[in-house]
Amino acid sequence: VQFNGPPDSVMMRLAAEETRPFLASAERAQRQYLGLNTHLALLAPSNRTFHELLRRAQSGDYIPYTNTEQDILESMYPGEDFDGKAALSRIPHLHYVLPFHTS
């Protein structure tokens, strides 16, 4: 992800407006369930939630799909309930940025 401008003010407004504790874009990809694409996500966990995320990571209490933080987040925040694609689209960014070479 490449930000096209400072994301801070938009993200702060989203955090104030949003009732869900987590936002990411829902996607199915090759899964048999609706998961998440965490290329851009909004998360400000409480201490309790942070420790639960750590517990799941350490214990393997999640479905491994990407073998990244995305799997752990999906175990707590199902794509059906936490799809924030519309809200996150308000953050000025580009997805799928390709490297630029000058040679």
Side-chain angles (χ1 to χ4, degrees):
V1 169
Q2 174 183 325
F3 292 112
N4 294 338
D8 304 58
S9 61
V10 176
M11 291 179 80
M12 294 302 285
R13 276 197 308 277
L14 282 175
E17 297 167 5
E18 188 56 53
T19 58
R20 295 170 290 179
F22 175 76
L23 293 177
S25 297
E27 75 173 10
R28 187 164 307 277
Q30 302 299 316
R31 305 173 191 82
Q32 297 301 312
Y33 57 93
L34 188 63
L36 299 169
N37 180 324
T38 58
H39 76 280
L40 180 62
L42 180 59
L43 174 67
S46 64
N47 282 337
R48 180 179 176 189
T49 300
F50 173 76
H51 289 290
E52 176 59 16
L53 288 166
L54 285 178
R55 185 199 67 74
R56 289 175 187 239
Q58 292 168 341
S59 68
D61 187 11
Y62 58 90
I63 298 170
Y65 176 68
T66 62
N67 290 315
T68 66
E69 82 288 343
Q70 180 172 316
D71 299 335
I72 298 153
L73 291 167
E74 286 177 351
S75 74
M76 284 188 67
Y77 305 110
E80 306 82 38
D81 300 329
F82 295 95
D83 182 13
K85 190 173 191 172
L88 293 172
S89 69
R90 293 169 44 195
I91 299 171
H93 74 284
L94 295 173
H95 191 193
Y96 303 116
V97 177
L98 300 175
F100 178 71
H101 298 284
T102 57
S103 53

